[in-house]
Amino acid sequence: MEDLLLLYEKYINPSLARTYRFMGLDHEEHTAEGAVVVDAEGVRYIDCAGGYGVFIQGYRHPRIIAAAHQQLDLMPLSSRVLVNPRQVELAQRLAEVTPGDLTYSFICNSGTEAVEAALKIARGSTGRATIISTEGAFHGKTYGSLSVSGRDLYQAPFKPLVPDVVRVPFGDRQALESAMSDSVAAVIVEPIQGEGGVIVPPDDYLPAVRSLCDQFGAAMIADEVQTGIGRTGTLFAVEQSGVVPDLLCLAKALGGGVMPIGAVVGRPWIWKVFEESPLIHTSTFGGNPLACRVAAEALAVTMDEDLPGRARELGAWFIPALQEVCARHPDIVAAVRGRGLMIGLEFQSAGMGAMIMSELFQRQVLAVYTLNNERVIRLIPPLVIAAAQLRQVLDVLAQALDAVELVKDELA
Ligand SMILES: Cc1ncc(COP(=O)(O)O)c(C=O)c1O
């Protein structure tokens, strides 16, 4: 593995290679199945990192792999001249499973592209400029998405960003109300902030965002790139608030753990910008037959296996069980929170979080940090994970906490 890491250092990212080494994450991934990743030496890891939330249906789900093979044998990419049936089938399915009158889809290749499209559609259709986003938000790292994200660290070197973006505290209805005006094109929110540290807003927050958008004629953009496709216990997290956004962004698990894909699904009124100019926003690879066939199968698997229900049931005992384990270490863990199987562990210091991740890894459990909150690590396992595997995670976490207990003063 050292050779591989040296090459990573030489050809990809020297600084990240050093971090891998420092964290003890210098093992080569080889294969994976269900909720287990296997390294090149045959060591098996229970995956609670889920590829940053991609593997809702697990790794290499047989139905999704079979669908990919079928489409590969037919036509993986589109001629872009004839009509692509796989794209139409997926768009129809998305209209059927998304709430309310979300109807039209623009299909792309990633989360950040879904957000870029949503921002452009909102500005283009409302004829307004201002976008309101929230502190701690993460919407991606291309310019538009970065501009509406909420951490200065990732923005500072790249300024000037897209103008007319206003940031308000997340979960704060009053702050949003004060920022609203007739020049607001859109308010963009994650139903639960993922990279911000798994922050669950008050129950009345999303309904308040919806009604303020209605009042001021602005579009509500729900970024469900991370919360979508069952993660929080319903297919889309907005369903739990009874809210229908004007634009819903999806990616990650929409690709069934097999293909990169993103989508923004919109209500009819906001598709106006395409009415005026049908090619106003396009992508060569976006909506390709292979990704769309895989995504349609991923949605079918998610529904047939009731994965949102599994997230609900497993989360209902796993989150309290984690809280119980962590309550024995109040000097290390500040909070355990989440919904379904989207779970954040907040530590008293960033160093403690990093050491826990490393200790978990040494005991063959994968977890993942959050980009915008250094004190929080996430557990976002595939929803096909077995209860027994989650019990094993609890045992391992207890051991990892005991290990940190011995050196916690140095990490405070
Ligand atoms: C809520 C949210 N939006 C957008 C993105 C960006 O997605 P991608 O990395 O596919 O561009 C992410 C990625 O973590 C995300 O969590």
mmCIF file of all heavy atoms in Angstrom, residues 62 172 178 282 295 317 354 361 393:
data_model
loop_
_atom_site.group_PDB
_atom_site.id
_atom_site.type_symbol
_atom_site.label_atom_id
_atom_site.label_comp_id
_atom_site.label_asym_id
_atom_site.label_seq_id
_atom_site.Cartn_x
_atom_site.Cartn_y
_atom_site.Cartn_z
ATOM 1 N N PRO A 62 -27.483 -6.659 -6.467
ATOM 2 C CA PRO A 62 -27.565 -7.493 -7.688
ATOM 3 C C PRO A 62 -28.545 -6.955 -8.734
ATOM 4 O O PRO A 62 -28.254 -6.998 -9.936
ATOM 5 C CB PRO A 62 -28.035 -8.862 -7.171
ATOM 6 C CG PRO A 62 -27.928 -8.811 -5.684
ATOM 7 C CD PRO A 62 -27.714 -7.396 -5.239
ATOM 8 N N ASP A 172 -33.415 29.302 11.592
ATOM 9 C CA ASP A 172 -33.896 30.523 12.241
ATOM 10 C C ASP A 172 -34.916 31.221 11.335
ATOM 11 O O ASP A 172 -34.560 31.924 10.390
ATOM 12 C CB ASP A 172 -32.676 31.428 12.518
ATOM 13 C CG ASP A 172 -33.049 32.695 13.260
ATOM 14 O OD1 ASP A 172 -34.224 33.095 13.234
ATOM 15 O OD2 ASP A 172 -32.131 33.281 13.859
ATOM 16 N N SER A 178 -36.388 38.337 7.961
ATOM 17 C CA SER A 178 -35.755 39.660 7.835
ATOM 18 C C SER A 178 -34.994 39.797 6.519
ATOM 19 O O SER A 178 -34.819 40.904 6.018
ATOM 20 C CB SER A 178 -34.749 39.909 8.962
ATOM 21 O OG SER A 178 -35.309 39.585 10.175
ATOM 22 N N THR A 282 -27.859 22.664 -20.427
ATOM 23 C CA THR A 282 -27.692 21.313 -20.982
ATOM 24 C C THR A 282 -26.440 20.664 -20.414
ATOM 25 O O THR A 282 -25.615 21.327 -19.787
ATOM 26 C CB THR A 282 -27.542 21.371 -22.525
ATOM 27 O OG1 THR A 282 -26.465 22.256 -22.835
ATOM 28 C CG2 THR A 282 -28.801 21.859 -23.205
ATOM 29 N N ALA A 295 -30.505 4.397 -12.188
ATOM 30 C CA ALA A 295 -31.236 5.190 -11.190
ATOM 31 C C ALA A 295 -32.680 4.708 -11.059
ATOM 32 O O ALA A 295 -33.223 4.638 -9.947
ATOM 33 C CB ALA A 295 -31.199 6.669 -11.568
ATOM 34 N N TRP A 317 -33.746 2.599 17.154
ATOM 35 C CA TRP A 317 -33.019 2.024 18.300
ATOM 36 C C TRP A 317 -31.540 2.362 18.295
ATOM 37 O O TRP A 317 -30.913 2.500 19.325
ATOM 38 C CB TRP A 317 -33.242 0.512 18.463
ATOM 39 C CG TRP A 317 -32.530 -0.352 17.439
ATOM 40 C CD1 TRP A 317 -33.082 -0.893 16.327
ATOM 41 C CD2 TRP A 317 -31.141 -0.768 17.449
ATOM 42 N NE1 TRP A 317 -32.123 -1.594 15.624
ATOM 43 C CE2 TRP A 317 -30.933 -1.546 16.294
ATOM 44 C CE3 TRP A 317 -30.058 -0.553 18.302
ATOM 45 C CZ2 TRP A 317 -29.699 -2.109 15.979
ATOM 46 C CZ3 TRP A 317 -28.818 -1.112 17.980
ATOM 47 C CH2 TRP A 317 -28.656 -1.884 16.833
ATOM 48 N N ALA A 354 -11.297 13.136 15.233
ATOM 49 C CA ALA A 354 -10.328 12.519 14.316
ATOM 50 C C ALA A 354 -9.785 11.228 14.923
ATOM 51 O O ALA A 354 -9.646 10.213 14.226
ATOM 52 C CB ALA A 354 -9.186 13.491 14.034
ATOM 53 N N PHE A 361 -11.532 2.898 12.576
ATOM 54 C CA PHE A 361 -10.914 2.270 11.411
ATOM 55 C C PHE A 361 -9.998 1.109 11.812
ATOM 56 O O PHE A 361 -10.027 0.045 11.177
ATOM 57 C CB PHE A 361 -10.127 3.319 10.607
ATOM 58 C CG PHE A 361 -9.492 2.749 9.389
ATOM 59 C CD1 PHE A 361 -10.262 2.409 8.286
ATOM 60 C CD2 PHE A 361 -8.131 2.511 9.347
ATOM 61 C CE1 PHE A 361 -9.678 1.851 7.157
ATOM 62 C CE2 PHE A 361 -7.545 1.952 8.224
ATOM 63 C CZ PHE A 361 -8.308 1.620 7.132
ATOM 64 N N VAL A 393 -20.972 -2.171 15.536
ATOM 65 C CA VAL A 393 -20.484 -0.783 15.515
ATOM 66 C C VAL A 393 -20.554 -0.188 16.922
ATOM 67 O O VAL A 393 -19.629 0.511 17.368
ATOM 68 C CB VAL A 393 -21.296 0.070 14.504
ATOM 69 C CG1 VAL A 393 -20.930 1.552 14.613
ATOM 70 C CG2 VAL A 393 -21.074 -0.428 13.081
#
